[in-house]
Coordinates of all heavy atoms in Angstrom, one line a residue:
P21 N 18.0 -34.3 -2.6 CA 18.1 -32.9 -2.1 C 16.7 -32.3 -1.8 O 16.6 -31.3 -1.1 CB 18.7 -32.1 -3.3 CG 18.5 -33.0 -4.5 CD 18.4 -34.4 -4.0
L74 N -13.6 -37.2 -10.9 CA -15.0 -37.8 -10.7 C -15.9 -37.2 -11.7 O -15.8 -36.1 -12.2 CB -15.5 -37.5 -9.3 CG -14.6 -38.1 -8.2 CD1 -13.9 -36.9 -7.5 CD2 -15.5 -38.8 -7.1
Y97 N -6.1 -24.9 -9.9 CA -5.1 -24.2 -10.7 C -3.9 -23.7 -10.0 O -3.3 -22.7 -10.3 CB -5.7 -23.0 -11.5 CG -7.0 -23.4 -12.2 CD1 -8.2 -22.8 -11.8 CD2 -7.0 -24.3 -13.2 CE1 -9.4 -23.1 -12.4 CE2 -8.2 -24.6 -13.9 CZ -9.4 -24.1 -13.4 OH -10.6 -24.4 -14.1
M123 N 14.6 -13.1 -0.9 CA 14.3 -13.6 0.4 C 13.7 -15.1 0.2 O 14.1 -16.0 1.0 CB 13.2 -12.8 1.0 CG 12.7 -13.3 2.4 SD 14.0 -13.6 3.6 CE 14.5 -12.0 3.9
R195 N -18.7 10.5 -4.8 CA -20.1 10.2 -5.2 C -20.3 8.7 -5.2 O -21.4 8.2 -5.0 CB -20.4 10.8 -6.6 CG -20.6 12.3 -6.5 CD -21.1 12.8 -7.8 NE -20.1 12.7 -8.9 CZ -19.3 13.6 -9.3 NH1 -19.2 14.8 -8.6 NH2 -18.4 13.4 -10.3
I202 N -16.8 13.7 7.5 CA -15.7 14.7 7.8 C -14.6 14.4 6.9 O -14.2 13.3 6.7 CB -15.2 14.6 9.3 CG1 -16.4 14.9 10.2 CG2 -14.1 15.6 9.5 CD1 -16.1 14.6 11.7
V225 N -12.2 20.0 7.0 CA -11.3 20.4 8.1 C -9.9 20.7 7.5 O -9.3 19.8 6.8 CB -11.1 19.3 9.2 CG1 -10.1 19.7 10.2 CG2 -12.4 19.0 9.8
L254 N 23.8 38.9 15.7 CA 25.1 38.5 16.4 C 25.4 39.5 17.5 O 25.0 40.6 17.5 CB 26.2 38.6 15.3 CG 26.0 37.7 14.1 CD1 27.2 37.8 13.2 CD2 25.9 36.2 14.5
P255 N 26.1 39.0 18.5 CA 26.5 39.8 19.6 C 27.4 41.0 19.2 O 28.1 40.8 18.2 CB 27.2 38.9 20.6 CG 27.6 37.7 19.8 CD 26.6 37.6 18.7
P257 N 30.6 43.3 18.8 CA 32.0 43.0 18.9 C 32.6 43.6 20.2 O 32.1 44.5 20.8 CB 32.6 43.6 17.7 CG 31.7 44.7 17.3 CD 30.3 44.2 17.7
I278 N 38.9 37.0 -1.8 CA 38.5 38.3 -1.3 C 38.5 39.3 -2.5 O 37.6 40.1 -2.7 CB 39.4 38.8 -0.2 CG1 39.1 38.0 1.1 CG2 39.2 40.3 0.0 CD1 40.0 38.4 2.2
P328 N 33.3 31.2 4.0 CA 32.5 31.7 5.1 C 33.3 31.6 6.4 O 34.3 31.0 6.5 CB 31.3 30.7 5.1 CG 31.9 29.5 4.5 CD 32.9 29.9 3.5
R330 N 34.6 30.4 9.8 CA 34.8 29.0 10.2 C 33.9 28.7 11.4 O 33.7 29.5 12.3 CB 36.3 28.9 10.6 CG 36.6 27.4 11.0 CD 38.1 27.3 11.3 NE 38.6 28.0 12.4 CZ 38.4 27.5 13.7 NH1 37.8 26.4 13.9 NH2 38.9 28.2 14.7
L342 N 48.6 26.2 21.2 CA 49.3 26.0 19.9 C 50.1 27.3 19.6 O 51.3 27.2 19.2 CB 48.3 25.8 18.8 CG 47.8 24.3 18.6 CD1 46.8 24.3 17.4 CD2 48.9 23.4 18.4
D386 N 43.5 31.0 12.6 CA 42.2 31.2 12.1 C 41.2 30.9 13.3 O 41.0 29.7 13.5 CB 41.9 30.4 10.9 CG 40.5 30.8 10.3 OD1 40.0 31.8 10.7 OD2 40.1 30.0 9.4
E390 N 31.4 33.9 14.4 CA 30.0 33.7 14.2 C 29.5 34.2 12.9 O 29.9 35.3 12.5 CB 29.2 34.2 15.4 CG 29.5 33.6 16.7 CD 28.5 34.1 17.7 OE1 28.8 35.1 18.4 OE2 27.4 33.4 17.9
A398 N 16.5 32.1 10.8 CA 15.7 33.2 11.5 C 14.3 32.8 11.6 O 13.6 33.1 12.6 CB 16.0 34.5 10.8
L464 N 2.3 38.0 4.3 CA 1.3 37.8 5.3 C -0.1 38.3 4.7 O -1.1 37.7 5.0 CB 1.6 38.6 6.5 CG 2.8 38.2 7.4 CD1 2.9 38.9 8.6 CD2 2.7 36.7 7.7
I495 N 1.8 8.7 3.8 CA 2.7 9.2 2.7 C 4.1 8.8 2.9 O 4.9 8.4 2.0 CB 2.5 10.7 2.6 CG1 1.1 11.0 2.0 CG2 3.6 11.3 1.7 CD1 0.8 12.5 2.0
K502 N 8.1 3.0 -2.5 CA 8.7 3.4 -3.7 C 10.2 3.2 -3.7 O 10.8 2.7 -4.7 CB 8.4 4.9 -3.9 CG 7.0 5.2 -4.4 CD 6.8 6.7 -4.4 CE 7.8 7.4 -5.3 NZ 7.6 8.9 -5.3
I521 N 0.0 -4.0 2.6 CA 1.0 -4.0 3.7 C 0.5 -3.4 5.0 O 0.8 -3.8 6.1 CB 2.4 -3.4 3.2 CG1 3.5 -3.8 4.1 CG2 2.2 -1.8 3.3 CD1 4.9 -3.4 3.6

Side-chain angles (χ1 to χ4, degrees):
L74 303 103
Y97 310 115
M123 175 57 69
R195 286 191 294 268
I202 301 171
V225 178
L254 300 179
I278 290 179
R330 182 174 68 80
L342 280 179
D386 189 11
E390 293 188 271
L464 294 185
I495 290 175
K502 285 175 54 183
I521 199 170

